[in-house]
Amino acid sequence: MKSAVAFSLLLALVPSSTEAIKLPHFGRIDANDNDLVQRVLKQEYTHIVVGGGNAGLAVASRLSEEPTFSVLVLEAGTWQPLTPGVVVPGLAGTTFNTDIDWAFYTQPQEHAKGRRVYWPRGKILGGSSALNFMAWTRGHKSDYDSWDALGAKGWNWNSLLPYFKKSEKFSTPSSNNQNAQPVYDASVHGTSGPVQISFSPYISDQFTGFYEGIQKMGVSVANDLNDGKMDGVAWSQSTIGKGGLLNERRVTSQTAYIDPIWLTRSNLCVLPGMQATRVLFDTTNKDNVKATGVEFTFANITTGHTFSASATREVILSAGSIQTPQLLELSGIGDASFLESKGINSVVDLPGVGENLADHPAIVVVEKLKEGSKTLDAIGANPILAGAALAEWALGKGILTQELSTLAYLDSQTLLNASDHSRALTMMNRLKSSSNIPTAQVEQQIAQVKAGSPIMEFLAINVYFGANAAGEPNVPYLSLAACAQKSFSRGSIHIASNDPKAYPNIDPQYLQADIDKFYLMRAAQFLRELAKTDALSQYIDSEAEPGPEVQSEQQLEDWIENVVRTEYHPIGTAKMGARNDQGVVDENLIVHGTSNLRVVDLSVMPMHVSTHPQSTAYAIAEKAADLMRQKA
Ligand SMILES: Cc1cc2nc3c(=O)[nH]c(=O)nc-3n(C[C@H](O)[C@H](O)[C@H](O)COP(=O)(O)OP(=O)(O)OC[C@H]3O[C@@H](n4cnc5c(N)ncnc54)[C@H](O)[C@@H]3O)c2cc1C
Ligand SMILES: *[C@@H]1O[C@H](CO)[C@@H](O)[C@H](O)[C@H]1NC(C)=O
Ligand SMILES: *[C@@H]1O[C@H](CO)[C@@H](O)[C@H](O)[C@H]1NC(C)=O
């Protein structure tokens, strides 16, 4: 654990006395530290970024490269702790429902048995990049090209590719315990950006079974899941460091974009523990209001202490797909009559705020593995095994270096036979007259499907991850997730009240469109067939979920309504697009009706991409920083 000790020592260098810093470009604030807050407030900032998450810290770091800028970041969560669940890849998920998780729940889901679905989100510097499962993939080329076609001018695969590359530092695979040869395409990667990307040195036996079995099911090996084609199965690339202090450790937007610079970048001030409650405006010009600053409070205290800081150039909202629309509404930007019903004065009437919510709904087929199979279940239950695994990890080896190490993306034509595929297209076409999803989006999704953009993702998880709180004791599990990448359901996120500390109402409308359930049903059948392939079945004892009593299509669909959950990928609630088309921001990410309020996070995505979205969050932030530097 030598490097872990070194890592703690480095953290100890973090100044605890604020006296030492003339310009407090780094804050460690607790509720009693009004002094530091006051000193920070006396500074003049050119830019204030709200939300030090995945996109927020990336954009703040890039902005602060400009010496004439001074940047303040307000983040509700704390500086990243050395919590094992943050640092150790194999322990991702153990931070759920802890202090660093907002732990949202959706509204009861009308088409999913009235259940509330749990939505973890990072409440920590790094945001959800500190809580996620680290998979590093880009969507299909046609997914991004749809943004441009829908009115987000200049946002397409070709224009984003340089920014994807700018963010990443790709490491070619080194040896692994299975002697597997991950396939990749170095030409699509960047090698000098801040976000380290690597392949795990450890592959579980049952993951090899998945990788080989799915090829027997007609799925080819992908060229590279970051090449814009994403056609098949791959050993996963992940946000995990190689070498140095970050060897086999999770890489977040804090470790990548902030840790290397905070000691020297005196024009960047990062304030954890601060929750923004409202954007402040100069409304002299009613048709084009100007953001002048941000009001905020201690995130952990319900009363007292309201501060404000002013921004001379721009205010940037990076609070994520859930809280960016919440903050816009709290600030008077949203549907005017709705806001007035909540006691908020309208500043800009913008009915698109909080609408257009899209997610990737998921189900998990759970297999009990044969006795003696090595999984994380035993490590979670047995402190001696856990200690041994951690000791191995500290040496850069073993099961805890691994996260989602194999992923597969299937287009509709590969998942379904020809007659089912044409049936699916008929169902999609019928949605053109639906009131839930805009016709233009249905048309784009059909075009994407025809272009081979994946409809379904399958991934293997090395631990019980089913519908119950836990599996049976002393049983090793393999969880096989099917995640729908092109949902045709759209939902919304709106404030529940004008209290900034109250959680907003989240309603993803899971399974509102029948086609979503149809694809998930076929995906569950596919996973059952996969489990029967020789390559994978050799490890399996029996199916735990849905279980043998669930057989007919109707029973499977009923089960899906009982278990459908999130792949944790909400987007779209402040979408880029024309104001008369429910757009919230323009193609420069500036909120309509304002001159200088930008949104930089996944809420600006007009439509979803068929993949894990963290690389897209970094690319959006990189492009946004360029837009702001060009303007200045
Ligand atoms: C459990 C989980 C697993 C995932 N797995 C993967 C994966 O394997 N690969 C992948 O690519 N993606 C994954 N994702 C998705 C991905 O991590 C997120 O989509 C992405 O990080 C979102 O980035 P963001 O910048 O939009 O928001 P976030 O990173 O969530 O940042 C928002 C930040 O704003 C802060 N904030 C909110 N409101 C306020 C306020 N009022 N004042 C101050 N601060 C505020 C929050 O605390 C947070 O730090 C996963 C997500 C989760 C939750
Ligand atoms: C908020 O309170 C929790 C629980 O006491 C604590 O763990 C966390 O560090 C606090 N967050 C901040 C930002 O101070
Ligand atoms: C297509 O697949 C479905 C589901 O597996 C099956 O019921 C149907 O018979 C198949 N059709 C053809 C023509 O093979």
Side-chain angles (χ1 to χ4, degrees), residues 159 349 394:
S159 71
D349 185 12

Side-chain angles (χ1 to χ4, degrees), residues 29 76-78 99 272-273 299-300:
I29 297 208
T78 56
D99 284 346
N300 267 0

Side-chain angles (χ1 to χ4, degrees), residues 145-174:
D145 291 348
S146 284
W147 297 5
D148 204 333
L150 287 169
K153 270 176 267 132
W155 292 76
N156 51 49
W157 171 261
N158 286 338
S159 71
L160 281 167
L161 188 57
Y163 294 111
F164 279 119
K165 289 184 175 177
K166 187 176 183 188
S167 70
E168 75 176 341
K169 184 180 173 65
F170 176 77
S171 300
T172 54
S174 46

Side-chain angles (χ1 to χ4, degrees), residues 499-535:
D499 172 3
K501 297 282 172 78
Y503 280 10
N505 288 334
I506 299 173
D507 182 9
Q509 287 282 313
Y510 287 132
L511 310 180
Q512 192 275 345
D514 282 349
I515 181 118
D516 292 358
K517 200 160 47 182
F518 175 70
Y519 272 115
L520 285 169
M521 186 269 290
R522 286 286 184 254
Q525 292 175 326
F526 181 97
L527 286 173
R528 281 181 156 174
E529 293 305 311
L530 171 64
K532 285 187 202 143
T533 59
D534 291 344

Side-chain angles (χ1 to χ4, degrees), residues 47 58-66 69 155 159-160 162-164 166 314 316 587-589 598 600 618-632:
H47 297 77
V59 77
S61 174
R62 291 299 189 196
L63 285 174
S64 70
E65 287 174 1
E66 202 66 57
F69 289 173
W155 292 76
S159 71
L160 281 167
Y163 294 111
F164 279 119
K166 187 176 183 188
E314 307 206 22
I316 296 128
E587 66 267 21
N588 293 315
L589 305 178
R598 291 202 211 226
V600 181
Y618 285 126
I620 290 171
E622 292 280 8
K623 185 171 157 91
D626 267 9
L627 289 172
M628 283 180 256
R629 292 169 77 168
Q630 275 157 24
K631 185 186 170 195

